[in-house]
């Protein structure tokens, strides 16, 4: 079965979520329903674009896959399985997600996306005969590369945009949300303790902004060179920490990113909830 057929199946499996999101937009007409609709449209457009770039994706797979041509169909099946899981999660999210439980659905969606990537990695490791670590890392790289190809970007460009700028930007936004939450708490409870809390929140937001600015300055160069610079720096960190290049990637771009982002969001939600409870009493 050609790769285009697998992509079409993945795109078709998203249609129920897309149709549900359209109906929800017409019924509710709020920011949440529009955001879910936009997410479905972007994901559907990505898969449709991947359909028209299928040959190029296979060429990249041959280039970086080190003689795995005979395993193309197995990798495509694993990728289709991962897409089906993500599309099912999108359908359930669009159908049942409520504003007050948005954070739980977002965290659950991220967890499922990582789980789907892990399934692809397990399939790759079993079929090709590599370790689970190598299979999972190949799956992560494959997802990044496929999304990049679908949007007309090279693998290096999508890695710089996604792993460096986008992740750093999301971390900053989560920190600014925490900062704003401390300000709102202080406005409701003007005590010394809450003023100290607001000061800590402001310092946190300024620190994240400073780090984001330093990252942008450090990688202020053509994306190809920025990728090469990041690659060599990760190799140096792996050598200094006596670990592998893959583990450094997991630690920084998955674990650290999730801990900082989810931690800031949970702290902001906790402050808001406690403030409203005290105000109610």
């Amino acid at each position: 079965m050609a790769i285009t057929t697998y992509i079409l199946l993945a795109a078709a499996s998203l249609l129920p979520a897309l149709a549900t999101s359209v109906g929800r937009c017409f019924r509710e007409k709020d920011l949440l329903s529009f955001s879910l609709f936009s997410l479905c449209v972007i994901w559907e457009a990505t898969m449709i674009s991947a359909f028209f770039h299928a040959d190029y994706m296979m060429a990249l797979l041959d280039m970086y896959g080190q003689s795995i041509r005979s395993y193309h169909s197995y990798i495509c099946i694993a990728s289709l399985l991962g897409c089906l899981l993500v599309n099912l999660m999108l359908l359930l999210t669009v159908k049942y997600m409520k504003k007050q439980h948005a954070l739980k659905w977002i965290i659950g969606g991220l967890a499922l996306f990582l789980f789907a990537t892990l399934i692809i990695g397990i399939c790759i490791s079993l079929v090709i005969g590599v370790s689970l670590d190598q299979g999972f890392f190949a799956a992560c790289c494959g997802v990044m590369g496929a999304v990049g190809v679908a949007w007309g970007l090279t693998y290096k460009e999508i890695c710089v945009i996604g792993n460096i700028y986008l992740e750093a930007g999301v971390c900053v936004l989560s920190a600014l949300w925490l900062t704003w939450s401390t300000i709102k708490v202080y406005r409701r409870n003007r005590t010394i303790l809450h003023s100290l809390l607001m000061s800590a929140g402001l310092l946190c937001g300024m620190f994240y902004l400073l780090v984001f600015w330093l990252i942008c300055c450090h990688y202020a160069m053509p994306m190809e060179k920025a990728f090469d610079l990041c690659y060599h720096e990760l190799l140096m960190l792996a050598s200094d920490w006596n670990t592998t290049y893959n583990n450094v990637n997991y630690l920084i771009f998955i674990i650290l990113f999730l801990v900082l982002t989810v931690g800031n969001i949970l702290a902001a939600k906790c402050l808001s909830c406690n403030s409203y409870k005290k105000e109610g009493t």
Side-chain angles (χ1 to χ4, degrees), residues 7-19:
I7 297 175
L8 284 177
L9 289 174
S13 68
L14 182 62
L15 291 178
L18 183 59

Side-chain angles (χ1 to χ4, degrees), residues 98-147:
K98 301 298 181 183
K99 183 178 179 180
Q100 61 269 29
H101 302 302
L103 180 60
K104 295 179 181 179
W105 281 96
I106 292 172
I107 295 176
L110 287 173
L112 184 74
F113 182 78
L114 287 174
F115 179 68
T117 307
L118 178 62
I119 288 179
I120 298 174
I122 292 173
C123 294
I124 291 175
S125 65
L126 291 175
V127 170
I128 301 178
V130 297
S131 66
L132 177 59
D133 171 49
Q134 292 173 312
F136 179 68
F137 190 76
C140 293
C141 294
V143 170
M144 293 291 294
V147 172

Side-chain angles (χ1 to χ4, degrees), residues 184-234:
K184 289 196 298 183
V185 169
Y186 174 72
R187 290 172 63 184
R188 296 191 188 98
N189 306 277
R190 296 179 180 273
T191 65
I192 296 178
L193 179 62
H194 289 94
S195 66
L196 293 175
L197 180 64
M198 182 184 68
S199 300
L202 290 171
L203 288 174
C204 175
M206 292 173 62
F207 174 76
Y208 273 79
L209 286 172
L210 176 61
V211 172
F212 181 70
W213 179 75
L214 291 174
I215 290 174
C216 291
C217 291
H218 184 66
Y219 294 105
M221 60 188 71
M223 291 188 187
E224 298 282 331
K225 293 184 178 179
F227 176 89
D228 295 335
L229 175 61
C230 182
Y231 173 75
H232 290 296
E233 289 173 344
L234 292 175

Side-chain angles (χ1 to χ4, degrees), residues 79-92:
S79 302
L80 175 61
L81 180 60
C83 283
L84 292 176
L85 282 173
V86 173
N87 293 348
L88 176 61
M89 179 63 183
L90 275 174
L91 175 60
L92 296 175

